[in-house]
Amino acid sequence: MTGFVAFLQKELLEIRRTWRIWVIPGMLLFFGITSPIIAALTPALVRSMAAAQPGVVIQLPDPTALDASAQFLKNLDQFILIAIVIAGAGVVSGERSSGTAILVLTKPLSRGTFVLAKLLAQIVLLLTATALGTAACLGVTAVVFNASTGGRLVTAVALWFVFAALLIVVMTLFSTVFRSRGAAAGAGLGFYFLALLFSNWAPAEHYTFLGLLSATRDALAGQAHTVSLGWPLAVAVATIALGAAATVYIFERQEL
Amino acid sequence: MSSPEAGASAPAIELRGLTKRFGDTLALDRVDLVVRPGMVFGFLGRNGAGKTTTLRILSGLARPTAGSAHVLGHDVARAPLAVRADIGFLPDVPALYSWMTAREYLDLAGRLFGLDHAIVAERTDALLEMAGLESVNTRVGGFSRGMKQRLGIAQALINAPKLLMLDEPTSALDPIGRRQVLEMVASLRGRTTVFFSTHILADVERVCDAVAILERGRVVANAGVDELTSRAASNRLTLEVEDVGGAAAIAGMLAGRVWVRSIETAERVLRMSVFDLAAAQREIPAAIAAAGVPLRRFEIDETSLEDVFVELVGGASR
């Protein structure tokens, strides 16, 4: 693993110095701050729109801290997962097409170390950004609603994070398999939409990592998950390990 | 796996029957080549001759279809990390991280070799000075092509490599940038083996000790630069006479002699390529005297590497 720490530090410095610092961390912080505010304002906005339509009466319950957290989770499921797909599409293919990989991979840095350092850097970035966004969401919720969903939101976000980490590994694999960033992004979006499509199919929900998506909603609602989390978590961890191994295996056999 | 002779006594580069095929295209065709340690070796060939493919195999970026490639005694296919620990490599277009400074890039390069922090810092200072970048604090994205090329060479030297491989290091540089890069290469003579691919013949004449010429994936010449040029120079003669028809008359008299390889005439000038220079020097003056043509000039040509290259590669392309 010669050069692992040096290359990991390069990855983290690259995140700080380039657009990557603004995308996922920026979006998570934005959603963390705005989700409680939008949840608080939505009923008033809907009522004012309804008032402009004669004869239309809309009754909405008063918003709660739970609505704020649900809004935040919805944003994670929709926007952040898509941002992970788009940002991850170029993680290997970008270095290969620009030629920057050649100079580092003609040093005693193995292809496996190259891939694993990139994976770890992305996961560290997402973990830090998710913690920041969740903390922002909890803080603004406390101010706006004078209440908190604390533990339930953290549990839900933790389950979401496992799925997001899996998506990072899948995107790194696609970025290695496909020479073009566009092809990797297309494959990643296909994976994402298929995951959403099959997440409500009972066998997939019970026995695959797709169960994590519905588990986040149950965790936030404070309900016991309708199925055991054992299988979804175990399959997710196994998929992460197999995906990382497959990425290394494929990259080691490619010519640059 | 490394061979028992891996180390100082082994050739810097040893290729045996090296073959690389891309689909139906044969990029390298049973290339045999040995580069001895300590020399600046020019790897010459036209665009598409197979130079970059050879360097990509040597640096572990590509795999041979057949044959073997050893670097400093290590088989590049079996011990790629051992090879990469001892080499410095500069591709034809060095893509550096644009968001880094030159100092940061050299620091990264040194740490990827697992070098001690103090050694990296010391070498970074020395290499930045050698590359003329010691006072440049802007990021690489703002560098000129020449600055990137010099930083590319500097990063290839951070591990004090036993073998430095440069792929077309001057091909896209202006004359000043080219001179700076060649001076850097020349300054390494005796300290490290330099394997230097190019299609610019003047660069090879200027800095290389020995040269191999690659054409259509095959080595068509391999010798010292002086040996190669003198070998060709000694076989070419130019004769100029006063009369317009005189050159043709002499050509007619000499044609058919066993030592004549070829004769070309143009008005008063006659150019010859010969197998036996001594015989030519003996018999040509006699032929001129017999023809009764006044002589203006008779000389053995000073042949450049370009003439050798054209003769070898031009002939192969016909």
Side-chain angles (χ1 to χ4, degrees):
Chain A
M1 295 288 270
T2 302
F4 179 81
V5 173
F7 197 69
L8 177 62
Q9 286 175 342
K10 169 258 158 190
E11 284 292 310
L12 296 174
L13 184 63
E14 183 172 6
I15 287 166
R16 270 177 44 209
R17 291 264 178 93
T18 62
W19 56 269
R20 291 171 67 187
I21 189 68
W22 301 108
V23 179
I24 290 174
M27 287 174 76
L28 271 158
L29 196 59
F30 175 79
F31 290 132
I33 293 167
T34 57
S35 293
I37 296 169
I38 288 171
L41 294 179
T42 297
L45 285 171
V46 171
R47 274 190 217 105
S48 71
M49 285 167 64
Q53 309 274 327
V56 176
V57 178
I58 294 178
Q59 299 247 332
L60 287 172
D62 287 339
T64 64
L66 198 59
D67 294 326
S69 296
Q71 179 69 38
F72 180 62
L73 268 184
K74 199 187 298 176
N75 287 331
L76 294 187
D77 273 354
Q78 292 173 353
F79 298 108
I80 301 300
L81 291 182
I82 289 176
I84 288 170
V85 167
I86 302 298
V91 71
V92 174
S93 65
E95 287 234 30
R96 194 167 44 199
S97 61
S98 70
T100 51
I102 287 178
L103 282 181
V104 291
L105 290 172
T106 48
K107 297 178 171 54
L109 177 76
S110 70
R111 305 266 181 114
T113 306
F114 179 92
V115 166
L116 293 177
K118 280 190 172 289
L119 279 174
L120 186 57
Q122 291 178 86
I123 288 171
V124 167
L125 171 70
L126 183 66
L127 182 63
T128 309
T130 303
L132 203 65
T134 306
C137 181
L138 287 171
V140 176
T141 300
V143 171
V144 173
F145 294 98
N146 199 24
S148 173
T149 56
R152 284 195 273 168
L153 179 62
V154 170
T155 305
V157 169
L159 291 169
W160 173 86
F161 180 80
V162 176
F163 183 82
L166 184 147
L167 191 58
I168 285 174
V169 172
V170 168
M171 284 316 300
T172 306
L173 174 64
F174 286 161
S175 184
T176 304
V177 171
F178 297 104
R179 298 250 160 195
S180 105
R181 188 188 297 246
L189 287 173
F191 176 87
Y192 168 72
F193 287 117
L194 283 175
L196 288 188
L197 189 67
F198 284 99
S199 63
N200 291 321
W201 185 44
E205 189 186 14
H206 282 65
Y207 297 112
T208 76
F209 50 78
L210 296 178
L212 294 172
L213 291 173
S214 53
T216 58
R217 292 186 286 273
D218 292 344
L220 185 64
Q223 300 166 353
H225 190 41
T226 49
V227 294
S228 163
L229 272 174
W231 271 105
L233 277 173
V235 172
V237 170
T239 306
I240 287 171
L242 282 174
T247 306
V248 171
Y249 180 84
I250 290 167
F251 195 42
E252 280 178 344
R253 276 148 191 81
Q254 287 178 337
E255 295 196 352
L256 297 179
Chain B
M1 193 170 295
S2 304
S3 71
E5 64 173 353
S9 61
I13 294 171
E14 186 175 9
L15 309 179
R16 295 290 175 210
L18 189 69
T19 302
K20 179 65 180 179
R21 191 178 277 283
F22 296 103
D24 293 335
T25 305
L26 190 60
L28 293 175
D29 184 7
R30 291 162 289 160
V31 170
D32 291 319
L33 182 69
V34 174
V35 177
R36 296 284 161 206
M39 57 171 52
V40 178
F41 193 97
F43 197 45
L44 201 55
R46 293 191 290 188
N47 291 331
K51 305 184 298 293
T52 297
T53 301
T54 306
L55 282 164
R56 287 176 62 233
I57 291 173
L58 287 171
S59 57
L61 296 171
R63 284 183 296 279
T65 306
S68 68
H70 284 76
V71 168
L72 302 161
H74 302 291
D75 186 328
V76 296
R78 293 180 181 174
L81 291 180
V83 169
R84 273 144 48 189
D86 283 341
I87 65 167
F89 178 66
L90 178 72
D92 52 350
V93 182
L96 306 148
Y97 294 116
S98 59
W99 47 269
M100 278 186 166
T101 64
R103 183 173 292 279
E104 285 169 343
Y105 200 93
L106 292 182
D107 182 66
L108 169 67
R111 292 170 63 219
L112 289 179
F113 280 100
L115 298 175
D116 181 71
H117 180 74
I119 293 173
V120 173
E122 184 185 323
R123 287 185 187 170
T124 295
D125 288 338
L127 290 168
L128 284 174
E129 192 179 340
M130 187 189 81
L133 298 170
E134 68 274 25
S135 57
V136 179
N137 294 314
T138 53
R139 292 184 184 173
V140 171
F143 280 19
S144 69
R145 180 71 199 267
M147 291 163 80
K148 285 180 183 169
Q149 204 76 355
R150 282 181 278 138
L151 177 58
I153 293 180
Q155 64 80 34
L157 291 169
I158 193 76
N159 59 326
K162 293 174 185 162
L163 171 65
L164 177 64
M165 299 194 292
L166 308 172
D167 189 8
E168 308 265 7
T170 60
S171 58
L173 296 180
D174 61 29
I176 293 172
R178 193 171 139 222
R179 173 185 284 186
Q180 289 169 332
V181 167
L182 290 176
E183 283 172 356
M184 282 177 74
V185 170
S187 72
L188 298 169
R189 179 176 281 109
R191 283 192 283 159
T192 189
T193 309
V194 181
F195 188 69
F196 170 33
S197 95
T198 185
H199 61 266
I200 303 174
L201 300 154
D203 291 353
V204 173
E205 285 189 303
R206 191 162 160 183
V207 298
C208 293
D209 304 311
V211 61
I213 298 176
L214 194 68
E215 173 62 12
R216 294 183 183 180
R218 304 202 73 166
V219 172
V220 293
N222 181 8
V225 173
D226 293 340
E227 184 192 336
L228 209 56
T229 51
S230 64
R231 192 194 298 167
S234 62
N235 289 333
R236 298 168 73 90
L237 303 160
T238 300
L239 193 69
E240 191 174 358
V241 295
E242 293 291 347
D243 299 343
V244 172
I250 296 168
M253 294 175 73
L254 296 175
R257 307 267 174 111
V258 291
W259 46 265
V260 174
R261 177 189 282 158
S262 64
I263 302 179
E264 294 169 25
T265 58
E267 296 195 343
R268 295 181 173 85
V269 178
L270 181 149
R271 289 197 177 84
M272 302 180 74
S273 175
V274 300
F275 295 111
D276 183 345
L277 184 64
Q281 285 173 308
R282 272 196 312 273
E283 296 183 29
I284 289 172
I288 294 167
V293 179
L295 181 68
R296 181 181 284 179
R297 179 164 63 97
F298 177 37
E299 62 190 22
I300 299 169
D301 289 352
E302 286 290 319
T303 305
S304 67
L305 189 60
E306 185 172 336
D307 297 314
V308 179
F309 185 79
V310 169
E311 190 173 319
L312 290 167
V313 171
S317 67
R318 277 197 290 270

